[in-house]
Amino acid sequence: MTSSDTSTQLTVWRTLLALAVVFVMLATTGWTAVRHHRPAPSPVQAAFDAWEQGRIGGRPLPSAHAAPERLHRFFASLDGRQERWLLHRYALAVGNMNGAPVELRYQANRVALTDARGVELRRMRDTRLSPYGRHEAGRRMHRLEALLRPERHILAFDPLGSGRVAEVYGDLEKAERVSVVVPGVDTDLLTFQRTQRRYSAPAGMAEALHRAERAASPGTRTAVIAWADYTTPSGIGMDAVTAGKAEAGAERLNALLHTLPGRSPVALYCHSYGSVVCGLAAGELPGRVRDIAVAGSPGMRASHAGDLDTRARVWAVRDNDDWIREVPFLEVGGLGHGADPVSPSFGARRLSADLAKGHAGYFLPGTDSLGNFAAIGTGTYESVRCAQQDPACRNGLTDVLGAERA
């Protein structure tokens, strides 16, 4: 047997072993086949449908998908009474309307959150529900109350099912640099923020990043979006090892990015399954997206960073304690998400993750990973700390700095 044959056989055996690991993971989570469900009617889609048929002052409402300039002109033409009527009549539509004025989206989502809180309060008192059902209603009600605090700026909200949320830290309309945090599996209304393990949840990640960016460059106006506005997989099951949820998420992410106010540079921070979303979104990103940083990634549905078809710089980080390093980095028959983004052959700039612990510790204050994210987000690339084993990253920083100065 030639060395070439031996190499081929070893590759086959590794592939089969990796597939066996995948199927064991699926079996232990109760998945044996792809399950198809008819989605429940979406309150947000119903609100958009009603908006498309609506009129005000004798004139039809503009398309919810109109260009941001068109939507801004329309909303600016309204008097106070008309604006209040629209916000209450079409709260979910305005609150989730990419391209609508940001402040109006915040106001509309306060109305929608208040309405949703009322629903959960009634469910808490509904004796037809089981004790568990009333308990879960109480949990949702308390989360909604937290999101309604005056200092919160909710950019998107969908009460359907487990719920979706996006929140802004900082002034999005005046920001000179914008960062977007894209989380992974098991993210919904209830897990959007946590008291325990605060910085493992999207709200805590974005809050920590915004604070770190202000420390890294106090003179730079920054805004960070905790973007949990897509339906994530539940647990490590079939949805987590296939791309269906990520494809839908990538479409939603690009819809947001193409309608953000201003022209400030944007950086994406994609954690775990969120990096699959960012990988699939990469080819359609607007040019203002300068950087994509992935943390604890199971793959980006690509064999090489160059295959992402984006002009954005690709950065990757993984700490030594992250269990994600044990997953099979391959894609066969739709299972798996491709090559390991921190492998030298992938071609991403590899960042230091000193002091980060586990799969969800990359945004913990004091870690190299958070410091690197802040340096990227503020454009202070001279402060980036590369992984020790990646001289290509250090050499590449010279090119990055030169491009930024140009």
Side-chain angles (χ1 to χ4, degrees):
M1 181 180 293
T2 67
S3 60
S4 176
D5 291 335
T6 302
S7 177
T8 300
Q9 189 177 56
L10 286 173
T11 299
V12 170
W13 276 107
R14 287 177 183 136
T15 300
L16 291 173
L17 177 61
L19 286 173
V21 171
V22 170
F23 283 112
V24 167
M25 291 167 65
L26 298 183
T28 59
T29 55
W31 283 89
T32 55
V34 178
R35 301 179 179 183
H36 297 285
H37 297 282
R38 179 172 294 180
S42 165
V44 171
Q45 187 57 55
F48 277 125
D49 291 344
W51 172 276
E52 296 294 342
Q53 302 300 318
R55 301 178 69 85
I56 190 167
R59 52 178 173 152
L61 299 176
S63 170
H65 305 291
E69 297 80 7
R70 169 75 178 93
L71 292 173
H72 276 258
R73 287 196 302 271
F74 166 74
F75 284 108
S77 72
L78 303 176
D79 60 34
R81 181 185 61 82
Q82 291 174 320
E83 184 179 283
R84 287 190 297 274
W85 183 81
L86 280 180
L87 290 180
H88 284 81
R89 175 67 179 83
Y90 303 104
L92 281 172
V94 177
N96 291 278
M97 193 177 296
N98 290 317
V102 169
E103 288 296 330
L104 282 182
R105 291 184 67 171
Y106 296 160
Q107 294 177 43
N109 282 317
R110 292 192 68 80
V111 173
L113 286 162
T114 300
D115 291 343
R117 177 183 177 275
V119 170
E120 299 305 332
L121 275 172
R122 290 190 291 274
R123 294 182 67 244
M124 287 174 62
R125 299 163 183 162
D126 189 344
T127 56
R128 294 171 298 179
L129 295 178
S130 67
Y132 175 78
R134 293 195 297 273
H135 172 73
E136 287 301 292
R139 292 181 66 204
R140 284 175 67 96
M141 189 274 291
H142 288 302
R143 174 63 69 238
L144 295 166
E145 284 187 336
L147 294 174
L148 277 166
R149 290 173 186 162
E151 70 273 15
R152 311 288 294 261
H153 299 100
I154 306 305
L155 187 67
F157 168 63
D158 186 345
L160 179 67
S162 57
R164 298 194 296 235
V165 187
E167 182 175 11
V168 176
Y169 293 79
D171 190 331
L172 185 57
E173 293 189 300
K174 295 181 179 178
E176 297 170 299
R177 292 268 177 172
V178 177
S179 297
V180 182
V181 176
V182 182
V185 301
D186 291 326
T187 300
D188 55 29
L189 178 67
L190 292 178
T191 60
F192 182 71
Q193 65 185 77
R194 294 189 177 100
T195 301
Q196 302 294 328
R197 300 174 63 238
R198 174 180 179 182
Y199 301 110
S200 66
M205 292 177 180
E207 179 187 6
L209 179 58
H210 189 230
R211 190 184 305 120
E213 287 183 345
R214 286 182 293 172
S217 183
T220 303
R221 295 192 302 272
T222 61
V224 180
I225 302 173
W227 189 79
D229 192 27
Y230 79 105
T231 301
T232 68
S234 296
I236 310 300
M238 182 63 79
D239 282 343
V241 297
T242 55
K245 299 287 188 184
E247 289 169 351
E251 184 176 346
R252 295 182 65 82
L253 178 60
N254 264 313
L256 168 77
L257 296 172
H258 280 276
T259 55
L260 286 176
R263 299 181 179 178
S264 303
V266 175
L268 302 181
Y269 302 89
C270 317
H271 178 245
S272 193
Y273 189 82
S275 65
V276 186
V277 175
C278 291
L280 292 172
E284 302 295 329
L285 293 174
R288 63 189 292 192
V289 177
R290 305 280 185 83
D291 298 278
I292 304 172
V294 299
S297 174
M300 300 181 73
R301 306 296 291 191
S303 298
H304 188 272
D307 298 334
L308 295 173
D309 193 26
T310 179
R311 296 173 62 185
R313 292 173 286 258
V314 181
W315 310 79
V317 61
R318 186 174 67 216
D319 68 64
N320 292 328
D321 297 324
D322 192 337
W323 59 262
I324 204 75
R325 68 192 306 117
E326 304 299 336
V327 307
F329 287 99
L330 76 168
E331 190 275 318
V332 178
L335 291 174
H337 301 302
D340 183 355
V342 301
S343 66
S345 61
F346 187 78
R349 294 173 170 88
R350 290 177 289 157
L351 300 167
S352 170
D354 284 359
L355 302 181
K357 298 293 182 182
H359 184 59
Y362 295 99
F363 289 82
L364 192 68
T367 58
D368 267 12
S369 48
L370 180 62
N372 281 326
F373 296 161
I376 291 168
T378 56
T380 54
Y381 296 97
E382 65 275 8
S383 300
V384 167
R385 297 189 64 181
C386 295
Q388 290 183 356
Q389 69 274 25
D390 189 16
C393 172
R394 292 193 294 273
N395 296 336
L397 283 176
T398 302
D399 297 333
V400 173
L401 291 169
E404 285 296 305
R405 294 189 184 104

